Amino acid sequence: MSTLSHSLAALAKAPTGIEGLDEVTEGGLPRGRPTLICGTAGCGKTLMGIEFLVRGIQEFDEPGVLMAFEETAEELASNVTSLGFDLKQLQADKKLRVDHVHVDRSEIEETGEYDLEGLFIRLGYAIDSIGAKRVVLDTIESLFSGFTNQAILRSEIRRLFRWLKDKGVTTVITAERGEGQLTRQGLEEYVSDCVILLDNRVVNQITTRRLRIVKYRGSTHGTNEYPYLITEDGLSVLPVTSLKLTHEVSNEIVSTGVPGLDEMFTRGGLYRGSSALITGTAGTAKTTLAAAFALESCRRGEQCLFFAFEESPQQLIRNMLSVGMDLRPYVEQGLLHIEASRPTLNGLEQHLVTIHKLIGQYKPQTVIIDPISNLVSVGSLVEVRGMLTRLIDYLKVKGITALFTALVSGRNANQEMTEEGVSSLVDVWLHVRDLEGIGERNRGLSILKARGMAHSNQVREFLVTSEGVRLLDVVLGPTGIITGASRHTQFLQEQALATAAQQEIERRERELERKRRVLEATIANLRTEFESVEEELRQTNQEEEQRREDLSQGRRQIAKGNPAPLAGNSPAAPTHS
């Protein structure tokens, strides 16, 4: 077992440089060995071979040889110019040799025998002239067309593959799909070390392409079917299987753009790099909440990608301006990028590769998709779930905070279950709903789940005002939380009760003040009466003191023998005779 593991680990591989293909093949194609690419017309076999050569030259400095049996060098160069591949310049730089071989039976059949020796000499010279490490043969059917001797064909095919192995070049050979087998000859897939099958199919009037690694000698590889796209940048392979859950996480908190909603999370917002889902029926302000999230991201100076599947950028900007959210300045600054299109414009894979491409171009910190429920129109629920699973995993690996909105329908159905089935994949699930009262409809918001943090369990009523989204305080009535007009009625009742209570307090304070004044008056009267009694007592005491003083003085006079004269009498005058 250890020997086998060592052999697998030691297998040399040549990275293709094609987005996603190296991931599926776990490193690239077998180095120094032939790889067969087979498929029907229009599936991109030639393009994959050319991109394998061009990427090898540009990214890994490995010169290559392209030997074509159907198209001329000028035709091939012209066909791939739209992809940004300049074959003529690569040839001028001695990095690429393009050789068109016109296969004529008379040239390769001598004395009734089929012989490829001339081809080997021509190909060997092309390889040696530039020191090529990579070779593409397009297509092998043209090389063997017109010959019916199967024994000779099989022998020559084996000899061709053996010659390529002995030459030590990493080779890609394209072949057309056969009836009931991978190739027309039915042998190439057996002598090749790696076989890649390309398929071009039409489902629900939408073209989709699939890639499958049929075999890969000496290496593990992805065994599922993988969608791939041909874009202006070349091929893009999108693995269906989810990425490994080994991504890093952050403890940083980012705001949702709605202060009241932030308060419903104990941490005051969402974890950076997490994914959130807003579900609700039509008209419950899902897009408005998403726009608030985008606006808050731009205010932090972060790049934000907004994918709109229902509104044009101009319409979205105008509508959000009516609720106090001006997105235009951030669009002009380049912080906010609005990508608007109908889901039916492309298949699921095209939408996914567009998202990948724009993420690679703008390097956003926030991605918003509004709504994901529209994707059901271009794929089955299983396909949409698979696409969204890959997208969520991709965003998590990149550390991008994601917000999705989804429309739920059904008046009596469980409106908390999304048709896409992605509610279990996201980290935060918000649900907005209609709170219908007597003759009115209000909006309510609740948090169904928030991984890694506690959150409020209340259904909060919110308003979309000219200044944005505003969550209202919870008002409890006799039967629970009340909203709308009942909230206003409750407010008026509470206000009336508060007014009555205030008036009662003021009346009691006035009564208390009156009693205080009466008490103070009574105290003043008693003080005056006390002072009068005190004055009279003082006067009486003074008079009594004076009498005692006079009596004491008279006694002292009598004691001296000189009584004091009586009051009103004068001494008698002497008489003369």
Side-chain angles (χ1 to χ4, degrees), residues 12-17 21-31 52 194 216 219:
K13 294 187 178 184
T16 64
L21 183 57
D22 290 336
E23 179 184 346
V24 173
T25 57
E26 298 185 4
L29 304 182
R31 184 177 296 278
F52 170 71
C194 179
Y216 199 140
S219 173

Side-chain angles (χ1 to χ4, degrees), residues 20 24 107 181 206 240 249 262 280 295 333 365 378 464 555:
V24 173
E107 294 180 0
Q181 52 193 10
I206 297 176
V240 173
V249 296
D262 290 340
L295 190 62
Q333 294 174 23
Q365 285 79 34
V378 292
V464 180
R555 287 176 178 174

